[in-house]
Amino acid sequence: MASIALFSDTQPWKDLKQAYVEDIKKTYLCDLLSDDKRCQSMLVDLDDILLDYSRQQATPETIQKLFQLAKAASLKEKINCMYSREHINSTENRLVLYVALHASRDAIIQSDGKHVLEVWKVVDKIQEFFKRVHNGSWIGTTRKALKDVVAIGIGGSFLGPLFVHTALQTGRLANVDLIDVARNITGLNLETTLVVVVSKTFTTIETMLNARTLREWVSSALGAIGVLSLPLQYGFSVIKKFLKGPSSIDQHFYSQPFERNIPVLQGLLSIWNVSFLGYLARGILPYSQALDKVCPTHSTGNMESNGKGVSIDGVPIPFEAGEIDFAELGTNGQHNFYQLIHQGRVIPCDFIGVVKSQQPVFLKGEVVSNHDELMSNYFTQPDALAYRKIANQLQKENVSLHLIPHKTFNGNRHSLSLLLPSLNAYNIGQVYANYFIGPDFLALYVTQLMAIYEHKIVVEGFIWGINSFDQWGVEPGKHTLVSHICCGFGKGPGDRVLCGEGCGCGQYDLVVA
């Protein structure tokens, strides 16, 4: 399938950019939200997960134009190519197999007629390892049973497993700063501590430096994938839930028409906000403490995948692509950066809420529960951003004239809302982020949530015409410049050092300190 070098040259893009954007900018969300038929058409339900995008600065006509944009970009064909295991990561000549990681045991994952991934063989090995650690037959070098776990990784290899932790006093180590190392091993007995190194390639500089550091402290056991440390905490049945949750989203993404396809809708709306309306940042605002790691996990995946300046064919792109993500939990964010999003810059926001509390608390004498108070904020904030509060309204409230400019809210600040049904239906009582939650449902809905955002990133990349699956921008600072600088460490002031020791540039550096 031929790719489009500059998708911004296509007619659907021009129709939106040149003739439509200015008209839509003249609309007000308060008027759009008064159209019940429009609002109802912008609700999508999937396994009791509800997407509401009625507070986007878009009309039904906008959505149809975005679907035309997706068609011109061959979005469906590109999705099919990914599911057909074609080498769509052309810059690295690699398959894109993250969907295969969620597949059922009997699934056949083939490319070029060959079975390319045997996920469940790896899962079975993890299960066997888990059993041996828990029954005490996997022991440390001093013949003692292992009680604590330290997992080493960085980026996705760190943030993914960090969703659930602490049941075995599990440490999570990403920073090469020795302060982070010290904090994670303080109080641990080196004779009964298992170190798990989480990496896809075992070449990541920070990860391997931390692994060597910990090797000096304790005998270590190496694991190949991020899921390894989780069954040590929650039991292996939970890992099956972690695989099952994304699989349902994979099927939804592949089979549903764009009108009912949550990742496609989210991806198209992000493109609309970034490339057409010019809003380059986005807030991710979960109203659940258990979802605090959704924020850094998604922002890492999004900005690392789509932070590109050239098309997949290597042509510089003349439009804005990629989003700047930032996030904070619920009411904490309201006392952090909500001032900016209400009265400063226009920043589209994703609000994420949970219907049923992990640990409902009803205090005597209180009108509502803690969770109801939290969710009141979840439902109120999108409307507060959307609707205006202007001078004549403030005058009716007897606001002093000199304060009216300061208390004016111009509104028209758009958002979308995702509502999850629960995170703790099975009430197993494991500890996560200081809440008692059932990890079975946490596994199901949190991994579904992350799979939605994972596919959203792919949709954006396919339409922008960039390669979401490589990350060359991560390399320069780590490999070239760091090697260059590290050549001089350990030398005396005034010494001239051949940089060829590390990076091969052949230049001489003067060590100044």
Side-chain angles (χ1 to χ4, degrees):
M1 180 178 58
S3 61
I4 301 172
L6 288 177
F7 186 55
S8 55
D9 291 336
T10 64
Q11 194 59 46
W13 184 285
K14 292 177 180 179
D15 288 344
L16 279 168
K17 191 74 172 177
Q18 298 174 2
Y20 191 71
V21 169
E22 291 307 315
D23 289 339
I24 204 69
K25 283 185 175 180
K26 296 174 185 176
T27 62
Y28 286 94
L29 275 175
C30 56
D31 297 327
L32 295 176
L33 288 168
S34 66
D35 185 341
D36 291 339
K37 184 177 179 180
R38 169 192 171 274
C39 293
Q40 191 63 35
S41 71
M42 294 182 175
L43 297 174
V44 181
D45 183 271
L46 164 64
D47 290 343
D48 296 324
I49 297 174
L50 180 66
L51 170 68
D52 178 0
Y53 62 96
S54 61
R55 290 168 185 78
Q56 287 287 309
Q57 196 171 3
T59 65
E61 183 185 6
T62 311
I63 303 304
Q64 290 304 314
K65 286 183 178 294
L66 290 172
F67 290 152
Q68 293 170 15
L69 191 74
K71 183 177 181 180
S74 303
L75 176 60
K76 181 57 179 175
E77 289 82 356
K78 291 176 181 178
I79 293 172
N80 290 342
C81 286
M82 183 176 75
Y83 277 74
S84 300
R85 326 302 176 202
E86 294 187 21
H87 290 243
I88 61 174
N89 181 357
S90 58
T91 61
E92 299 177 309
N93 192 30
R94 288 182 178 178
L95 299 169
V96 174
L97 292 171
Y98 74 92
V99 173
L101 294 172
H102 313 148
S104 62
R105 183 180 288 273
D106 57 353
I108 299 175
I109 311 298
Q110 290 189 330
S111 178
D112 300 326
K114 298 179 180 178
H115 196 58
V116 296
L117 192 64
E118 297 176 327
V119 176
W120 281 95
K121 285 188 177 181
V122 178
V123 172
D124 289 340
K125 289 180 180 179
I126 293 172
Q127 184 171 15
E128 178 61 27
F129 173 74
F130 153 75
K131 289 179 180 178
R132 292 182 63 189
V133 171
H134 271 260
N135 66 25
S137 62
W138 188 291
I139 56 178
T141 56
T142 60
R143 315 298 294 174
K144 293 184 178 180
L146 301 169
K147 298 180 180 179
D148 300 309
V149 178
V150 174
I152 298 174
I154 201 165
S157 298
F158 168 71
L159 292 166
L162 191 58
F163 269 123
V164 285
H165 66 98
T166 74
L168 278 176
Q169 194 182 335
T170 307
R172 298 284 171 186
L173 184 56
N175 198 337
V176 294
D177 191 332
L178 279 175
I179 293 174
D180 196 23
V181 176
R183 285 176 177 172
N184 275 277
I185 65 176
T186 297
L188 301 183
N189 183 344
L190 64 84
E191 292 184 284
T192 60
T193 298
L194 173 67
V195 177
V196 178
V197 181
V198 185
S199 179
K200 294 184 291 291
T201 63
F202 290 99
T203 60
T204 307
I205 292 172
E206 299 92 334
T207 297
M208 299 317 295
L209 177 56
N210 275 332
R212 292 191 296 273
T213 302
L214 266 292
R215 182 189 291 173
E216 294 296 315
W217 180 75
V218 66
S219 178
S220 62
L222 302 182
I225 52 177
V227 76
L228 175 59
S229 59
L230 296 180
L232 296 172
Q233 304 167 65
Y234 290 118
F236 205 79
S237 63
V238 177
I239 299 308
K240 294 179 180 178
K241 290 286 184 180
F242 270 90
L243 296 173
K244 187 177 181 180
S247 182
S248 67
I249 303 299
D250 295 342
Q251 183 60 31
H252 168 86
F253 178 53
Y254 181 68
S255 63
Q256 286 297 306
F258 291 168
E259 291 83 356
R260 309 299 301 169
N261 195 311
I262 289 179
V264 168
L265 288 166
Q266 284 192 264
L268 288 171
L269 289 167
S270 288
I271 289 169
W272 171 240
N273 288 326
V274 173
S275 300
F276 295 96
L277 298 181
Y279 303 130
L280 305 185
R282 182 179 53 144
I284 302 176
L285 313 172
Y287 279 71
S288 171
Q289 183 68 38
L291 296 178
D292 65 335
K293 298 308 176 187
V294 166
C295 312
T297 302
H298 175 65
S299 63
T300 296
N302 185 33
M303 291 189 280
E304 195 167 64
S305 297
N306 287 344
K308 308 293 170 58
V310 298
S311 73
I312 196 168
D313 300 311
V315 179
I317 54 176
F319 52 84
E320 299 288 357
E323 294 168 308
I324 304 168
D325 283 337
F326 64 96
E328 181 56 270
L329 286 169
T331 52
N332 290 347
Q334 293 173 197
H335 295 273
N336 185 341
F337 52 78
Y338 277 38
Q339 169 63 47
L340 174 70
I341 65 176
H342 277 287
Q343 290 185 307
R345 298 175 182 271
V346 176
I347 298 174
C349 296
D350 290 7
F351 290 89
I352 304 172
V354 180
V355 173
K356 188 176 180 180
S357 172
Q358 302 97 311
Q359 185 176 338
V361 175
F362 294 88
L363 298 178
K364 186 177 181 179
E366 295 292 337
V367 178
V368 296
S369 70
N370 292 48
H371 185 67
D372 289 341
E373 175 70 24
L374 180 69
M375 292 304 292
S376 295
N377 283 272
Y378 165 81
F379 287 113
T380 299
Q381 286 295 333
D383 281 343
L385 287 167
Y387 289 101
R388 294 176 287 180
K389 193 164 190 178
I390 53 180
N392 62 343
Q393 296 170 288
L394 294 167
Q395 288 171 355
K396 291 178 181 179
E397 296 176 4
N398 297 318
V399 174
S400 299
L401 288 177
H402 74 283
L403 288 179
I404 286 178
H406 302 282
K407 291 194 172 186
T408 294
F409 293 86
N410 292 319
N412 226 32
R413 293 157 191 267
H414 42 292
S415 64
L416 61 80
S417 299
L418 273 171
L419 188 61
L420 281 64
S422 175
L423 293 177
N424 70 329
Y426 295 166
N427 194 28
I428 293 178
Q430 300 284 5
V431 177
Y432 174 79
N434 298 321
Y435 279 78
F436 289 101
I437 64 172
D440 281 344
F441 248 66
L442 175 69
L444 179 62
Y445 287 118
V446 169
T447 52
Q448 283 184 319
L449 178 66
M450 293 314 300
I452 288 171
Y453 276 100
E454 195 171 43
H455 290 311
K456 167 195 166 292
I457 292 169
V458 170
V459 169
E460 293 169 4
F462 282 159
I463 294 180
W464 277 323
I466 60 180
N467 186 358
S468 300
F469 308 107
D470 63 17
Q471 44 190 262
W472 301 106
V474 177
E475 307 301 319
K478 293 201 302 183
H479 292 289
T480 304
L481 300 178
V482 171
S483 297
H484 190 168
I485 292 170
C486 285
C487 290
F489 288 135
K491 310 293 182 178
D495 288 349
R496 294 185 66 83
V497 186
L498 179 63
C499 190
E501 294 179 32
C503 68
C505 69
Q507 299 178 359
Y508 283 90
D509 298 321
L510 179 66
V511 181
V512 295

